[in-house]
Amino acid sequence: MKKIETEIYGYFKDMFAQQNMPKRVILSFISIIIMGLGISLFSISGFGVDPFTSMNMNISSAFGIGFGTYQLIVNAAILLYVVLIAHRGLVGLGTVFNMVGCGYACEFFEGIFKPFAERNDAIQFRIAFLLAGIAVLCFACSLFFTANIGVGPYDALGFMLSRKTKLSHKWVRIITDITVIAIGLVISGGVSALCSGNFSEIRNIGIGTIITALCMGPLVNIFNKTVSLKILNTNYEKLFKEAALFLIKGALLKNTKPVAIKAEITFYSDPYRILK
């Protein structure tokens, strides 16, 4: 019981220790809505979505469950694992926003744009949706990342596995992305379609999936420099490249002896102090 009380206190302390917290919360919440819009544009383009979303869309469709509801269930299961091992450095209000809101926001916007997409199925419209989805999703990720009040459950899982296996986060992410794509393919029947050459029956995986894997990093960094960082007036220029190191070390710091709130504020105001 004492440990549970200590952890609850730790979560609340971490949650409100950062500077500009009201602005961070608003920024994180808005980013999730925009993120749902970006994913919906990816989806209706028909060129594929990011690996984790592709698995959730394929499985939810195979079992007849709404995408938002299924994604909430999966994210909640991942988050439960994160909380049980008290990896507080990766969890915050942003994690909850991501877990609950992203899937439902995607469903909402997809319901708005899908009728138009079905009436205009020409390749130029699909490419336009894809390009718009890339821009919107990268912008949303930049806002969410800059808010810095927790990462998404799937991202948290990658950081934790990297720490546990001693592999770099880049390789862990590649492995987890391939794994979730494979799971989605197996359950949705995509593997049999792939083996028989019926590529048109493979859903939610395509050029868009490859683009998110290769291009999101640089594009998010551009939005960081031009838009997101100016909103909070915070120097996170290197944060994207060093995300794994920063978050893992931050988690280790917060899971050791309790430190004064003043010290934690200093840590957040200069996140690279711990890396020096």
Side-chain angles (χ1 to χ4, degrees), residues 221-264:
N221 200 32
I222 291 173
F223 280 117
N224 281 346
K225 294 178 179 179
T226 58
V227 182
S228 303
L229 299 179
K230 296 179 181 179
I231 296 175
L232 285 176
N233 192 27
T234 305
N235 182 19
Y236 288 151
E237 186 176 353
K238 299 178 183 177
L239 186 56
F240 189 86
K241 292 180 181 179
E242 299 177 347
L245 182 59
F246 168 66
L247 289 170
I248 291 172
K249 286 198 173 184
L252 290 172
L253 178 70
K254 294 175 186 178
N255 282 295
T256 55
K257 293 192 226 175
V259 294
I261 293 293
K262 183 178 180 181
E264 293 201 19

Side-chain angles (χ1 to χ4, degrees), residues 37-38 40-47 113-118 120-136:
L37 170 61
S40 71
L41 293 173
F42 259 110
S43 178
I44 61 181
S45 75
F47 287 114
F113 292 110
K114 197 167 185 177
F116 174 81
E118 289 175 345
N120 301 274
D121 195 34
I123 187 67
Q124 61 265 30
F125 287 106
R126 293 178 59 200
I127 293 175
F129 278 121
L130 175 64
L131 295 177
I134 293 170
V136 172

Side-chain angles (χ1 to χ4, degrees), residues 3 6-8 10-11 14-15 78-93 95 149-153 155-166 169 243-256 268:
K3 182 180 179 182
T6 302
E7 290 303 322
I8 292 174
Y11 273 105
D14 294 346
M15 191 179 299
I78 295 174
L79 184 60
L80 178 61
Y81 174 68
V82 175
V83 171
L84 284 176
I85 66 169
H87 214 282
R88 293 204 309 267
L90 302 175
V91 178
L93 279 177
T95 310
I149 55 171
V151 301
D155 297 314
L157 182 63
F159 288 125
M160 291 162 52
L161 290 174
S162 176
R163 177 191 171 198
K164 191 174 183 64
T165 60
K166 309 300 182 183
H169 178 257
L245 182 59
F246 168 66
L247 289 170
I248 291 172
K249 286 198 173 184
L252 290 172
L253 178 70
K254 294 175 186 178
N255 282 295
T256 55
Y268 282 111

